Amino acid sequence: MAVPGDPPNGTPENIGGGDDEFRPDEYRSVVFDEDFVRAARIQEYSARERMGEHARAVRSRSIWSGAGSGGSRTGSPGRGARQGMLLVLLIATAFAVAVYMGLRNPYVPAPGGRAEPLSSTVVPLAPAAVVPGGKPADLYAKSPAAQYRVGAAGITMPAVRRTPHFTDGQVGAALSIAKDYLVQSSLDPDVLSGAATRPVRVLLDPDQLAQFDRSVTSPSGDGRYAATGWLVRFDPDTTVLADPRVRVSGTLGYEEVAPDVLQVTSDHTFVYAVRPASATGGATDSASLFTVRRELRLRFDREDLTARRAELAAAYVMAGPHDCSADPAAGFRPLTAGTGPTTVGPAASDPYASGHPRRAAGLCGVLATPPPEAESVSPGP
């Protein structure tokens, strides 16, 4: 009689006996209940694992493989490991970039405090002879300014080289800002006529704005609040430009005066053709020349360079022909053509001379008369 576990056609021939004999009775006591069967883990092999003997027998499952799929078993093998490696690579790259930028751009010291107030000196130069008059072109041709350049072209830039603590780009930026300041404060027609001050104001450090505002609204010749220390301005009630083409010559220089301060020094002569505001019909044959020599010291810290502004530290200005009895702090009042010599100052000063200007010993100087050869030979800047 067949029992459960026997082959359907009985025990095959030539099989039996020995240790290899099939003995179904030995397994009758082994019973798998329903809970055991349900709890049994079924290991399913992948197609790759079934392809050959060198494939991995068991497919490992990363704890990251089910991320984003609700814990599904369909996650790709090694996906979590790749994500982890990518994260580590990104962190390492960010760290390397931070180290490189730190080495390339070392720590920059903080700006060195508030800007100092402007110290200015404005010296009127009285004529030593009768003030010549005529048309602007003729006057320029007979003056030392005959070969001066017109307008901003006369403010030339020096060669740019880095300093111990400022790059060549920062030096170039300081020179560019200084030139902008000279153009706006010495050549802008609205500034010259007294109609505007904003083109100059926006180029100043905020710490100097209160001093600048007081200088243009309540000027004083005390060395701190002279409007003409900050800019060139004519009294609109007495003087207007006869020719907008101002002649300019001079130099720009720079030096590092502290690890966080770069100083630019400008020394320029500006020659204006002016006429009386009362001249009828805008006549230009009654024009005369008015010369202003400006020596400025402008300072820049790194914050100023970024904001494109300047700290005007000092200004020394000589201007003539001008009556010494008229205070030039609020605006210049050039002596008109035909005016004879006025108050004689302590020493003659030549605003056309190259190099450092000869500073007048008092509050007034004498406008030196150019030598005859100056009419045909242009002096150096």
Side-chain angles (χ1 to χ4, degrees), residues 15 27 75 115 227 230 314:
I15 296 180
Y27 300 96
W230 300 92

Side-chain angles (χ1 to χ4, degrees), residues 174-201:
L175 291 170
S176 175
I177 299 169
K179 180 174 181 177
D180 287 346
Y181 186 86
L182 287 170
V183 170
Q184 299 301 329
S185 64
S186 308
L187 302 175
D188 187 298
D190 292 333
V191 173
L192 296 177
S193 66
T197 59
R198 177 174 171 76
V200 179
R201 191 179 191 275

Side-chain angles (χ1 to χ4, degrees), residues 99-313:
V99 172
Y100 173 78
M101 295 301 294
L103 294 175
R104 184 175 179 86
N105 301 295
Y107 171 74
V108 175
R114 294 178 59 86
E116 295 294 328
L118 167 66
S119 174
S120 63
T121 301
V122 182
V123 180
L125 300 179
V130 176
V131 178
K135 295 182 178 180
D138 297 335
L139 294 173
Y140 280 130
K142 297 177 181 179
S143 76
Q147 301 301 320
Y148 283 9
R149 295 182 179 180
V150 176
I155 305 174
T156 57
M157 305 286 276
V160 175
R161 295 183 179 87
R162 64 175 300 145
T163 65
H165 298 92
F166 288 88
T167 66
D168 52 357
Q170 290 172 321
V171 172
L175 291 170
S176 175
I177 299 169
K179 180 174 181 177
D180 287 346
Y181 186 86
L182 287 170
V183 170
Q184 299 301 329
S185 64
S186 308
L187 302 175
D188 187 298
D190 292 333
V191 173
L192 296 177
S193 66
T197 59
R198 177 174 171 76
V200 179
R201 191 179 191 275
V202 296
L203 293 173
L204 291 172
D205 187 282
D207 294 337
Q208 294 187 313
L209 294 182
Q211 183 187 12
F212 175 81
D213 292 341
R214 179 175 171 181
S215 299
V216 297
T217 56
S218 301
S220 173
D222 58 359
R224 292 176 60 89
Y225 299 105
T228 47
W230 300 92
L231 47 81
V232 177
R233 182 167 71 175
F234 296 105
D235 181 358
D237 294 334
T238 62
T239 308
V240 295
L241 286 177
D243 186 350
R245 296 170 297 178
V246 181
R247 302 305 196 268
V248 184
S249 180
T251 60
L252 281 173
Y254 63 90
E255 63 176 330
E256 181 181 310
V257 295
D260 58 345
V261 178
L262 190 66
Q263 178 173 284
V264 174
T265 301
S266 69
D267 184 6
H268 289 81
T269 299
F270 300 87
V271 184
Y272 306 86
V274 297
R275 61 176 177 83
S278 58
T280 60
T284 59
D285 55 355
S286 60
S288 61
L289 297 184
F290 188 77
T291 305
V292 178
R293 177 78 174 266
R294 303 183 76 196
E295 182 181 347
L296 308 179
R297 284 192 287 117
L298 301 100
R299 293 182 176 176
F300 305 85
D301 57 27
R302 289 175 176 82
E303 187 177 356
D304 293 326
L305 295 176
T306 302
R308 289 198 62 82
R309 65 195 186 200
E311 303 172 14
L312 184 57

